[in-house]
Amino acid sequence: MTPKNLLIIISDEHNPKTLGCYGHPIVKTTHLDRLAGCGIRFTKAYCNSPVCIPARAVIATGRYINQIGFWDNADPYDGSVTSWHHRLREAGHQVVSIGKLHFRSTEDDNGFSEEIVPMHVIEGKGDLMGLVREDLPRRGSSWKMAGMAGPGESPYTFYDRDITARAQVWLREEANRHKEKPWVLFVSLVCPHFPLTAPPEHFYRYYFDENLPWPKLYDRMERPEHPYLKEYGSSFAYDEHFESPDQVRRGVAGYLGLCSFLDENVGKSLDALEQAGLSDDTRVIYTSDHGDNLGARGVWGKSTMYEEAVAVPWIMAGADIPTGKTFDAPVSHVDLYPTILEATGLPLRHDEDDLPGCSLLNLSNGPLADRFAFSEYHGMGSTGGIFMIRDARYKYIYYVNHPAELFDLESDPEELHNLAQEPAYEAIRSACDSKLRSVCDPEHVERRAKERQSEQLQRHGGREAVIARGDLGFSPPPGISAEFS
């Protein structure tokens, strides 16, 4: 394909079920729906780790976490592994980020030509409590999920307004100055990541006092008994602070309101692109770093391998992209790196032949029936590693410390029936396990992750020191001081 400019818009914690183009019956995502109608929507798209820092390290490098480290939210990307931003900048392209990166710091060479209002991890350290993987500590800031849900503004909505304003200015005033080679603008918004405080014009207009869908399997008698849900829930304890049905409704309304606010900001950037006369020369990619459970199974936040948290929205559009299409084979964020390079006319180097992903610009390449997505988790709220394989039909979740799960997503898209222990599905489970072990040895990866985390824990003063430091609940944007619990 002809090299062109690339506008990448990424959100934070956007559950793909909460877009109109993905089938939500109520949510208002007009601009993203229109973008999907003008391009390709990927129906089986996944992050490669359902938590911010590892997910974003994969997006940057195109390699799985077990290949590069950056295991958890206390192990941020530091520029030491080549990213697509490094590659493009070195080849003379202008590569600019605006907004959240969640890398270690601006002092590292992260590969961008310019980082505008970047959000990096607090103190260059991140969430140190995630290094504690045994006898999990209870998180003191969990109250913020329910306690801040409702109408209003938060540091995140103010930050997203600033990011969007700067993106519009860049597209109108800077983009046309870089004509020698295609540019890449990476606009990274933080909503709908909690706090679930939605601007009133969205909260009241569409969601307040509406008959919103109740979280799936939320009632206590319906919740699955899987031990990981109890393990994660006892550490984060988000749901304990939703003390009434009204609080749950405000939480859901706040999240959907943030989805509409996000959509509004996406629309402003797309409008600026069009008004600058750049639409024909620019491809657009929209995705999110991971999803959000949004109360399903009694769980809020991310950190699970269920569709709400590990699946992501993914839309790609442009003048030479087929319109109104869906792509139904599994894809994941490791596919972004080669896609971005091909989109801008940069070939892969010989040392990138082992990248696990492939470019999605030419969708006829490769045996689509054999594709599968892989994800892994080694972070906060878990005592053992979690691994996922998602092929054309089945999802297999392997827990180092807990029983496996297997779902037939063709007949059971809501993951209501775990088939892992049913004798009739033993051959399918075995085939999925073989696919997992073709990517990595989960027990070996688990040992490596915990060795790294143990070393970091000691470097930061040990268990009691990091627990005394506390947790943030959510990272502060630039210019906002951190408040630990």
Side-chain angles (χ1 to χ4, degrees):
M1 281 189 169
T2 304
K4 291 189 175 185
N5 305 317
L6 186 58
L7 171 61
I8 302 171
I9 305 176
I10 182 170
S11 60
D12 198 321
E13 210 154 315
H14 194 183
N15 179 334
K17 296 174 183 283
T18 56
L19 287 90
C21 60
Y22 278 84
H24 196 280
I26 293 175
V27 72
K28 307 297 182 185
T29 50
T30 306
H31 302 288
L32 287 167
D33 296 349
R34 186 172 72 244
L35 185 67
C38 295
I40 295 174
R41 179 174 61 86
F42 295 85
T43 64
K44 298 182 179 70
Y46 292 86
C47 68
N48 299 109
S49 188
V51 70
C52 292
I53 285 173
R56 289 167 181 273
V58 172
I59 288 171
T61 66
R63 298 185 183 275
Y64 295 134
I65 290 304
N66 66 76
Q67 296 176 309
I68 58 175
F70 312 115
W71 299 97
D72 53 68
N73 268 10
D75 204 353
Y77 177 70
D78 58 6
S80 60
V81 178
T82 299
S83 66
W84 57 263
H85 358 124
H86 285 104
R87 291 276 281 109
L88 285 165
R89 188 190 64 186
E90 290 166 3
H93 298 259
Q94 188 74 4
V95 190
V96 175
S97 74
I98 306 177
K100 178 175 180 176
L101 292 174
H102 233 205
F103 298 163
R104 186 171 67 176
S105 75
T106 54
E107 296 176 6
D108 296 316
D109 179 8
N110 297 315
F112 289 102
S113 307
E114 183 180 11
E115 295 178 12
I116 300 173
V117 290
M119 177 199 289
H120 291 301
V121 301
I122 186 69
E123 300 174 348
K125 301 175 182 178
D127 183 1
L128 298 183
M129 285 181 73
L131 299 172
V132 179
R133 302 291 302 286
E134 303 294 337
D135 188 19
L136 300 175
R138 185 179 175 88
R139 291 178 167 259
S141 293
S142 296
W143 65 270
K144 294 180 180 180
M145 182 73 77
M148 299 181 71
E153 299 282 354
S154 76
Y156 276 12
T157 56
F158 286 126
Y159 185 38
D160 270 4
R161 293 184 194 279
D162 188 30
I163 293 167
T164 301
R166 292 172 185 267
Q168 293 174 82
V169 172
W170 196 92
L171 289 166
R172 295 296 296 266
E173 298 193 5
E174 289 294 325
N176 277 309
R177 298 180 181 179
H178 305 284
K179 296 182 178 181
E180 299 81 10
K181 291 188 175 184
W183 49 257
V184 179
L185 181 64
F186 185 75
V187 179
S188 186
L189 302 160
V190 287
C191 293
H193 191 293
F194 65 92
L196 302 178
T197 310
E201 62 269 27
H202 296 291
F203 184 89
Y204 289 117
R205 183 187 306 164
Y206 303 126
Y207 309 115
F208 180 66
D209 279 346
E210 294 297 322
N211 186 25
L212 300 179
W214 197 244
K216 178 176 65 184
L217 300 177
Y218 183 76
D219 294 336
R220 295 194 177 275
M221 296 301 293
E222 298 178 328
R223 296 181 184 183
E225 293 295 321
H226 195 277
Y228 177 65
L229 292 175
K230 295 181 179 179
E231 180 176 275
Y232 176 80
S234 64
S235 179
F236 277 83
Y238 289 133
D239 193 58
E240 293 181 17
H241 300 282
F242 286 91
E243 298 176 350
S244 69
D246 180 64
Q247 282 187 302
V248 174
R249 293 188 191 96
R250 288 174 74 85
V252 173
Y255 184 86
L256 296 181
L258 289 172
C259 291
S260 293
F261 173 65
L262 159 72
D263 182 75
E264 174 188 297
N265 288 324
V266 169
K268 289 177 179 178
S269 292
L270 296 178
D271 287 347
L273 184 73
E274 182 177 359
Q275 291 159 10
L278 293 165
S279 294
D280 289 342
D281 298 320
T282 306
R283 299 184 184 101
V284 179
I285 293 175
Y286 171 75
T287 189
S288 190
D289 60 350
H290 51 75
D292 189 299
N293 288 287
L294 193 58
R297 304 172 187 84
V299 176
W300 303 80
K302 48 249 183 179
S303 306
T304 77
M305 293 296 179
Y306 301 114
E307 291 291 282
E308 289 80 10
V310 73
V312 294
W314 191 332
I315 299 167
M316 187 163 62
D320 55 357
I321 302 294
T323 61
K325 302 293 185 180
T326 59
F327 185 73
D328 299 324
V331 302
S332 72
H333 280 153
V334 292
D335 296 316
L336 274 171
Y337 188 114
T339 300
I340 293 167
L341 263 59
E342 182 178 0
T344 52
L346 198 61
L348 292 174
R349 301 185 309 205
H350 71 277
D351 61 346
E352 294 168 327
D353 290 341
D354 62 342
L355 286 171
C358 68
S359 172
L360 300 180
L361 283 182
N362 188 344
L363 301 179
S364 64
N365 284 342
L368 302 182
D370 296 331
R371 282 186 65 93
F372 61 85
F374 167 82
S375 191
E376 61 190 302
Y377 183 74
H378 308 282
M380 51 196 189
S382 70
T383 58
I386 309 171
F387 302 82
M388 182 212 76
I389 291 293
R390 200 301 192 203
D391 64 18
R393 180 167 181 172
Y394 293 98
K395 175 188 284 186
Y396 174 62
I397 307 173
Y398 181 83
Y399 300 84
V400 171
N401 287 357
H402 302 304
E405 294 181 288
L406 177 69
F407 299 99
D408 181 346
L409 295 183
E410 185 175 291
S411 63
D412 179 26
E414 296 301 324
E415 301 168 292
L416 303 178
H417 307 291
N418 178 14
L419 306 172
Q421 307 307 318
E422 296 192 15
Y425 289 87
E426 177 56 35
I428 292 170
R429 173 178 168 169
S430 178
C432 289
D433 194 74
S434 295
K435 290 177 181 177
L436 165 61
R437 293 175 191 277
S438 74
V439 177
C440 69
D441 177 340
E443 282 73 24
H444 177 66
V445 169
E446 162 84 345
R447 288 193 294 273
R448 289 173 49 218
K450 285 192 170 180
E451 286 173 2
R452 164 74 171 171
Q453 289 164 335
S454 178
E455 292 169 359
Q456 284 189 298
L457 186 63
Q458 295 310 309
R459 182 162 60 87
H460 291 296
R463 176 189 176 93
E464 298 307 318
V466 302
I467 292 176
R469 180 176 182 257
D471 65 301
L472 292 169
F474 52 88
S475 299
I480 302 295
S481 61
E483 294 181 5
F484 292 94
S485 64

